[in-house]
Amino acid sequence: MSVAVELPRARETSASALVYGIGDESALADRAETQASPKVNNDGPELLHLPFQSDSTLLPPRFISKQARTGTVDEKPPIAMSSGRSASQSRAMPSMRGAEYEKVGESGVSKMYKFLLYETASRFYLVGSDVMDRKFRILKIDRTAECGHLSIAEDDIVYTKEKMNETLKTVDDGNKSSGGLKLKSSTWGLLGFMKFTGDYYMLLITKRSQVAVLGGHYIYQIDGTELVSLAPTSSTRSKPDHHPEEARFVSILNNLDLSRSFYFSYSYDITHTLQYNICRERRTLLQDPPSSPDELFNDMFIWNHHLLEPAARVLKNTYDWCLPIIHGFADQATLSIFGRTVYITVIARRSRFFAGARYLKRGANDLGYVANDVETEQIVSEMLTTSFHAPGPKLYANPNYTSYVQHRGSIPLYWMQDSSGVSPKPDIQLNLVDPFYSAAALHFDNLFERYGAPIIVLNLIKARERTPRESILLREYTKATEYLNQFLPNDKKIVYKAWDMSRASKSRDQDVIGTLESIADEVLKKTSFFHNGDGQPDHTKIQNGVVRTNCIDCIDRTNAAQFVIGKLALGHQLHALGIISDTSIEYDTDAVNLFTHMYHDHGDTIAIQYGGSHLVNTMETYRKINQWTSHSRDMVESFKRYYNNSFLDAQRQEAYNLFLGNYIFAQGQPMLWDLSTDYYLHHSDPREWSASARKSYIDWYTPSHLAHRTLPALAELDGSASKTSLELLDDYWLEYYRPLALSSFTKIFSYRMNSTLRYVPFQSTQESKYDMSPFYVRSRNEQETPEKHRHKPSLDSIDLGEGSTSLSTPTLGIALPSWRHTGHSDSLSTNQSMPSEPHLGSQEIPVSLAKVISGSNDPKEKSAIAQWTLNQFVLDSLNPTVTKSETDEYSRYISHPLNLPLVVSSDTAATPIPEFLKYLESVSADRLSNFHATEEDIAEYAEFLDVGEDPLTVTDADGPKKRYKAYKQWLLKGKSLFKQSRVDP
């Protein structure tokens, strides 16, 4: 729990000097320009507290949000506290009254999590606050700077709420002549600054949603952004016709949907893996060196890196104000095991290097970066404690956190596919043959740097084809790994495994899942996984190396293979946490079903980002359990992928190149839309080759990257030091537990998270028939009644004849007298609802099929049992039988007590029904005398009784009669093929 410390206040100075001392401009500049009415973004975050309102007399009403005026309270405030330390060196600043702390980095705020953007005629003021709205900082952005230049002034002073209100009121008074100070928008964060042809823009986050929580730190998805121009509204530079190409660049940028699959965190480094973050923090506690911003985040996965560069040139503390974002996938779900809660988190990070659409980005560039490079991490943690720390406190030593990392990426060769034609599968071309495989060498050296050794390559492309396409890359990729392995140490060589997964999935005598599971078992033995701990070597593990999976697109087959490997890793992680006694989990359990859905969403997201459509072949396809309806879905997804690749990928590629900074506008250079190819935007300049030193073709790797990785030791801290370090380094308490915030269960992320409990049928739990374990195998025939078991013997209990043993399976019905009871009952009640099984008669199963029923996985024996079942079904159809239970049910139906005799006369039955007699007694003569019929009713009734000699013939004279009006309407309006209902014979 954090402890508030009262620090001495600085000396007092005037509020106006405080504000205008931020930059070099004077207050007169603010008064000189006019101010137009700002456009307020109503989609922005609603504030829980009014951060700058301590007294209603301090601020004018336009400063007060609608929520504060009406008294409403937001239940989801942006409450977050940074775990990172300020990376900047504090500079000497004059002491001022109103500063709670003298300098940022000593004890003050280093990062902000809620922002309000104010504007005057000449400046923007971005005011950031901490979690509790008690400490504030100011960032001033000049709107009158020269076109193409960014002028930002950062203040190191941390202010209290009262002094911040006085400061804003002073700015408002100083700009009365030009419109004053107005609130433009409220925002969750600043993504950076970018320009196209003239003035800069700043990109703000206006909407967000929680998707995961790790160690008490939330991970958010961006749901809305706003691009704000820094040009003054009164200047001609803000007009669209100032540069005619500006609007087109903005339109191209809008083709990149930043509200889908972009993620950020205020206090957790999502650009690195959990293993890297824990090891870095533990190493920092031992050595305590000052960290620079470049070391805090992985530059490879920061997708707004181009937007952060202008801020980094003018700000000392770039990441105090700007948020790094990743592109990929993030999801989290809960595994409930009889009161124990386990979080499963899947995070996928897409590389910003050589990023693009499917056919436009293939293979690798000359820097060693490959297309569709995605790092997938699965984190399994038991939530006995929230933070990354163990009791003591032992910082970053919580033994309840485990993780496993996989990698996917295009084949690291120079190859391409020309999608300009109409063929859905263009030919593969090796456009450059490098005998030294320089691109592959750079790529694998980068993998060694990120993950260590060994690197296991799982190549799933086709080996045999009528027209060679993928097989061309197979041969070249095999030669590349053989060449590179010549120079690696024996224990650090690249493990290369090639397997034609597509051919195996179409073959009846090959088990795709079984083969992948054997490969996964070999992979886990070589790489292990990360398991944090408090220093005991028996309980801690570190992952060394990674499995690199690829097919031709790194989408369908790759996702299925990664799921199987991840499923086995999940079993090892749960075993390490003490959840299960074994390291394997069966299919069709709630835990695996939940994990399957997460990986299916993960694969769909990656497929949309790279290929333009969802997965075509899912896990059901490779397990061969998909329904016939999935074939039509596969066809639709294939067509969507072909359409996007042919017509929409070029627009997405332009948006990628503009947002990532691959293309930067320059006078005299061609426009982005005029480029015939973007090849030179993603490859190094050939003119630089002669100036740079060429790397050795033999010593292509860095020896230090092959070193074995270990978990750093724990730092020994005394009581006072540990308490201070925990508050400064990782104050997760305020972010996760949200003190002083009004919350409800329906809006707490941990409560709304997807869970295995949602798979539990409520009625079965009330009837005590459901096993609550998420590791229990669910099947369609998991419930049987003893009665039907006797009359309709199934494969579970068949007499195999002399010399054979009866086969039995455990009873699947579960008796749950209480929510904690999990014992299996020996029998089920007779009134239990069961699905009926096909009647097998007295036919005995051949002895040769007994092995199949008892668990043999031989495909030939499985086909034999299928043929026997078909023959038996035909035999039962030709010789139908009725069981005793069905006979009793029919007898009960025909003797139903509501069976009434037909009324053929006015006489009542000999034994009338009591209910009928009661009805007759209720109708009295007095009530009958009240019924009166008009002459019109009598005439209509007489007309109804008048039936002609040929009642089936309708004449013209019958038209006006009431009985034929409906028939006439049907002849005129309703006689249509599409309106007639089918009449069953």
Side-chain angles (χ1 to χ4, degrees):
M1 181 179 298
S2 60
V3 180
V5 182
E6 184 68 20
L7 296 181
R9 297 182 181 272
R11 291 176 296 177
E12 180 179 2
T13 57
S14 63
S16 60
L18 183 64
V19 174
Y20 299 113
I22 297 176
D24 298 331
E25 299 85 347
S26 64
L28 298 177
D30 284 332
R31 302 187 183 101
E33 298 186 9
T34 60
Q35 170 65 38
S37 299
K39 180 181 179 182
V40 180
N41 185 0
N42 294 326
D43 294 333
E46 300 176 354
L47 300 181
L48 172 67
H49 309 286
L50 184 61
F52 314 125
Q53 177 86 1
S54 60
D55 190 349
S56 59
T57 61
L58 292 180
L59 293 180
R62 65 176 179 269
F63 288 164
I64 307 176
S65 63
K66 177 181 179 181
Q67 291 76 19
R69 291 195 297 266
T70 58
T72 58
V73 179
D74 183 12
E75 291 187 342
K76 296 176 63 178
I79 295 181
M81 188 70 178
S82 174
S83 65
R85 297 164 299 283
S86 177
S88 61
Q89 299 293 331
S90 302
R91 62 179 180 179
M93 294 289 292
S95 300
M96 300 177 182
R97 182 180 179 183
E100 184 169 348
Y101 305 105
E102 291 187 358
K103 301 175 183 178
V104 173
E106 294 180 355
S107 300
V109 183
S110 61
K111 292 186 180 182
M112 286 70 65
Y113 312 102
K114 293 190 293 185
F115 300 87
L116 290 180
L117 181 64
Y118 295 89
E119 65 174 348
T120 64
S122 59
R123 294 181 182 87
F124 281 112
Y125 293 91
L126 187 64
V127 180
S129 63
D130 69 340
V131 178
M132 305 302 295
D133 291 332
R134 296 174 179 172
K135 309 167 189 176
F136 304 90
R137 292 176 63 187
I138 295 179
L139 183 70
K140 188 174 70 171
I141 307 169
D142 190 6
R143 306 176 67 177
T144 61
E146 185 181 353
C147 182
H149 290 76
L150 184 64
S151 177
I152 304 177
E154 179 186 6
D155 189 6
D156 284 339
I157 303 301
V158 180
Y159 306 104
T160 61
K161 181 181 295 185
E162 293 78 8
K163 292 303 178 181
M164 180 57 64
N165 288 333
E166 294 180 7
T167 300
L168 295 177
K169 191 174 185 300
T170 303
V171 175
D172 181 50
D173 294 338
N175 291 271
K176 286 292 186 182
S177 60
S178 58
L181 180 71
K182 298 182 179 180
L183 175 65
K184 182 173 179 61
S185 65
S186 54
T187 174
W188 298 122
L190 174 64
L191 295 182
F193 304 87
M194 67 183 309
K195 68 173 182 176
F196 304 119
T197 61
D199 290 288
Y200 272 92
Y201 297 82
M202 60 179 170
L203 190 60
L204 304 174
I205 302 174
T206 58
K207 294 181 181 180
R208 69 175 190 184
S209 59
Q210 298 171 344
V211 293
V213 57
L214 289 175
H217 308 289
Y218 283 107
I219 298 175
Y220 298 91
Q221 175 177 327
I222 298 177
D223 294 331
T225 58
E226 181 184 8
L227 193 64
V228 179
S229 175
L230 300 186
T233 56
S234 61
S235 174
T236 57
R237 290 169 11 204
S238 61
K239 298 180 180 180
D241 56 353
H242 177 68
H243 201 295
E245 310 298 341
E246 185 79 8
R248 187 163 183 178
F249 278 113
V250 175
S251 177
I252 292 175
L253 183 65
N254 290 335
N255 290 330
L256 179 63
D257 190 0
L258 292 175
S259 63
R260 297 181 59 180
S261 306
F262 284 88
Y263 306 91
F264 71 94
S265 177
Y266 296 105
S267 51
Y268 179 75
D269 182 9
I270 57 175
T271 64
H272 282 113
T273 63
L274 177 66
Q275 173 177 311
Y276 182 92
N277 290 333
I278 294 295
C279 292
R280 179 186 61 187
E281 296 296 341
R282 294 176 68 153
R283 194 178 301 112
T284 302
L285 290 175
L286 290 174
Q287 303 175 359
D288 197 19
S291 300
S292 65
D294 293 337
E295 298 174 356
L296 292 178
F297 301 101
N298 190 347
D299 180 69
M300 187 177 193
F301 300 116
I302 302 178
W303 270 64
N304 59 333
H305 181 269
H306 174 60
L307 281 73
L308 297 176
E309 287 181 343
R313 289 192 294 264
V314 296
L315 293 178
K316 304 187 309 296
N317 313 314
T318 305
Y319 293 105
D320 288 359
W321 295 95
C322 302
L323 295 171
I325 61 174
I326 66 170
H327 185 37
F329 175 79
D331 190 19
Q332 191 173 54
T334 304
L335 198 64
S336 181
I337 311 102
F338 301 106
R340 301 178 68 175
T341 302
V342 175
Y343 283 179
I344 302 178
T345 311
V346 177
I347 302 176
R349 308 172 182 92
R350 178 179 293 276
S351 172
R352 69 180 179 92
F353 299 120
F354 205 51
R358 183 188 181 195
Y359 285 135
L360 302 179
K361 288 293 167 284
R362 292 294 211 186
N365 62 4
D366 54 7
L367 300 177
Y369 299 113
V370 298
N372 200 20
D373 188 316
V374 181
E375 174 186 271
T376 301
E377 178 183 19
Q378 64 183 57
I379 301 173
V380 181
S381 56
E382 185 178 5
M383 301 308 295
L384 291 177
T385 55
T386 303
S387 70
F388 293 127
H389 316 294
K394 299 178 180 178
L395 300 184
Y396 300 99
N398 191 342
N400 296 321
Y401 280 88
T402 65
S403 72
Y404 184 74
V405 180
Q406 301 184 64
H407 179 270
R408 74 169 70 184
S410 187
I411 297 176
L413 301 172
Y414 297 115
W415 62 282
M416 61 174 293
Q417 285 181 283
D418 186 9
S419 61
S420 59
V422 296
S423 174
K425 293 184 178 181
D427 294 334
I428 294 177
Q429 304 173 8
L430 284 170
N431 51 358
L432 179 61
V433 178
D434 181 7
F436 303 105
Y437 302 101
S438 302
L442 292 172
H443 174 67
F444 282 109
D445 189 35
N446 178 259
L447 291 183
F448 283 134
E449 179 183 7
R450 291 157 60 186
Y451 308 111
I455 301 298
I456 303 173
V457 175
L458 180 55
N459 189 9
L460 303 175
I461 62 178
K462 298 177 181 178
R464 290 189 295 176
E465 301 171 292
R466 293 181 180 179
T467 302
R469 292 179 61 257
E470 298 184 14
S471 56
I472 299 175
L473 295 177
L474 175 65
R475 293 190 294 269
E476 196 69 16
Y477 198 12
T478 304
K479 294 179 182 178
T481 54
E482 291 176 351
Y483 171 81
L484 297 177
N485 272 334
Q486 297 180 85
F487 313 108
L488 286 171
N490 292 330
D491 58 338
K492 307 294 183 181
K493 291 185 181 297
I494 301 172
V495 180
Y496 181 76
K497 173 68 176 178
W499 178 52
D500 191 344
M501 182 175 175
S502 178
R503 186 179 184 87
S505 63
K506 298 176 182 178
S507 177
R508 295 184 178 181
D509 57 350
Q510 293 194 41
D511 185 8
V512 176
I513 303 301
T515 304
L516 289 176
E517 286 180 341
S518 62
I519 295 175
D521 185 64
E522 179 183 353
V523 167
L524 263 296
K525 291 180 180 178
K526 292 181 179 294
T527 63
S528 187
F529 60 95
F530 171 69
H531 183 197
N532 196 20
D534 54 1
Q536 300 180 8
D538 297 338
H539 298 142
T540 58
K541 295 180 181 293
I542 205 80
Q543 180 175 347
N544 279 277
V546 72
V547 54
R548 184 195 190 279
T549 310
N550 71 268
C551 53
I552 198 65
D553 295 322
C554 302
I555 297 179
D556 298 333
R557 287 169 282 180
T558 299
N559 197 74
Q562 284 196 339
F563 165 77
V564 176
I565 298 174
K567 171 182 168 294
L568 183 62
L570 175 64
H572 283 268
Q573 290 172 281
L574 292 174
H575 175 72
L577 295 176
I579 304 297
I580 57 177
S581 58
D582 198 4
T583 58
S584 62
I585 312 175
E586 297 295 332
Y587 284 96
D588 299 320
T589 59
D590 291 346
V592 174
N593 290 338
L594 182 70
F595 190 68
T596 303
H597 292 164
M598 297 180 67
Y599 252 87
H600 190 277
D601 295 340
H602 162 262
D604 278 341
T605 304
I606 299 301
I608 290 175
Q609 295 167 5
Y610 184 63
S613 71
H614 294 86
L615 290 173
V616 175
N617 298 315
T618 61
M619 275 304 300
E620 286 76 12
T621 305
Y622 296 108
R623 290 185 63 192
K624 300 179 180 180
I625 60 174
N626 55 334
Q627 303 295 329
W628 64 271
T629 54
S630 64
H631 298 295
S632 60
R633 173 199 170 276
D634 295 346
M635 293 177 60
V636 171
E637 294 300 333
S638 298
F639 178 77
K640 287 171 58 179
R641 186 173 296 180
Y642 171 72
Y643 175 81
N644 284 288
N645 298 156
S646 301
F647 303 104
L648 302 180
D649 280 357
Q651 300 178 9
R652 286 200 300 141
Q653 189 63 54
E654 287 182 348
Y656 282 142
N657 293 334
L658 188 61
F659 182 76
L660 295 174
N662 299 324
Y663 173 86
I664 300 177
F665 171 79
Q667 292 290 343
Q669 298 296 327
M671 292 295 178
L672 175 60
W673 48 86
D674 294 333
L675 296 176
S676 58
T677 177
D678 64 348
Y679 177 85
Y680 296 104
L681 301 180
H682 294 269
H683 292 73
S684 59
D685 190 345
R687 292 171 293 186
E688 298 178 357
W689 293 353
S690 58
S692 60
R694 182 173 299 177
K695 195 170 184 179
S696 173
Y697 294 131
I698 296 178
D699 299 329
W700 59 267
Y701 62 92
T702 305
S704 60
H705 297 166
L706 304 180
H708 186 76
R709 307 188 177 193
T710 58
L711 187 65
L714 287 177
E716 297 294 338
L717 302 175
D718 56 16
S720 59
S722 62
K723 181 178 180 180
T724 304
S725 300
L726 182 58
E727 292 180 356
L728 294 179
L729 300 180
D730 188 13
D731 197 358
Y732 67 93
W733 182 272
L734 297 179
E735 179 177 1
Y736 186 73
Y737 292 102
R738 303 170 58 185
L740 305 182
L742 179 62
S743 304
S744 62
F745 279 116
T746 56
K747 293 192 175 183
I748 294 178
F749 174 73
S750 302
Y751 182 83
R752 296 181 289 109
M753 196 185 305
N754 189 21
S755 172
T756 52
L757 293 179
R758 298 189 179 183
Y759 294 89
V760 177
F762 181 75
Q763 183 177 1
S764 299
T765 58
Q766 295 297 314
E767 297 175 357
S768 302
K769 302 171 184 176
Y770 197 85
D771 191 339
M772 299 293 293
S773 172
F775 308 108
Y776 180 75
V777 179
R778 315 292 179 192
S779 62
R780 297 180 180 177
N781 299 324
E782 67 178 46
Q783 293 179 338
E784 289 182 315
T785 57
E787 180 181 359
K788 292 187 177 182
H789 183 75
R790 289 192 300 268
H791 292 280
K792 295 185 179 181
S794 64
L795 299 180
D796 296 337
S797 58
I798 292 291
D799 187 7
L800 300 179
E802 185 179 359
S804 62
T805 59
S806 61
L807 303 175
S808 61
T809 57
T811 305
L812 300 181
I814 306 302
L816 287 176
S818 66
W819 287 93
R820 298 182 179 180
H821 180 62
T822 59
H824 291 254
S825 60
D826 298 330
S827 61
L828 299 175
S829 58
T830 57
N831 60 351
Q832 187 172 348
S833 176
M834 302 281 181
S836 59
E837 297 188 3
H839 178 62
L840 298 178
S842 58
Q843 179 74 15
E844 294 183 355
I845 300 179
V847 179
S848 60
L849 300 179
K851 297 180 180 179
V852 183
I853 306 169
S854 60
S856 176
N857 292 325
D858 192 348
K860 296 181 178 180
E861 295 180 351
K862 288 185 176 180
S863 61
I865 187 74
Q867 183 63 33
W868 178 87
T869 306
L870 178 61
N871 295 338
Q872 188 62 34
F873 175 76
V874 174
L875 181 61
D876 292 342
S877 301
L878 297 177
N879 301 279
T881 59
V882 180
T883 62
K884 183 178 181 301
S885 60
E886 294 171 343
T887 304
D888 296 340
E889 184 178 358
Y890 181 72
S891 301
R892 179 173 171 267
Y893 168 74
I894 61 178
S895 61
H896 198 273
L898 295 181
N899 183 28
L900 300 177
L902 293 177
V903 180
V904 295
S905 66
S906 60
D907 299 333
T908 58
T911 56
I913 303 299
E915 288 80 359
F916 181 65
L917 294 177
K918 184 177 181 181
Y919 167 74
L920 293 178
E921 293 174 357
S922 64
V923 181
S924 60
D926 296 337
R927 297 186 60 181
L928 292 176
S929 62
N930 295 330
F931 291 106
H932 300 283
T934 62
E935 295 181 358
E936 183 181 354
D937 294 336
I938 296 174
E940 183 178 347
Y941 182 65
E943 180 187 351
F944 178 77
L945 294 179
D946 185 15
V947 180
E949 297 180 358
D950 188 4
L952 299 181
T953 301
V954 181
T955 62
D956 295 338
D958 296 330
K961 294 182 179 180
K962 233 176 185 182
R963 71 173 73 179
Y964 297 111
K965 284 186 178 180
Y967 178 68
K968 185 178 180 179
Q969 291 179 358
W970 181 80
L971 290 176
L972 297 177
K973 301 179 181 179
K975 194 174 182 180
S976 173
L977 175 64
F978 300 101
K979 295 183 179 180
Q980 296 181 21
S981 60
R982 181 185 174 190
V983 180
D984 296 332

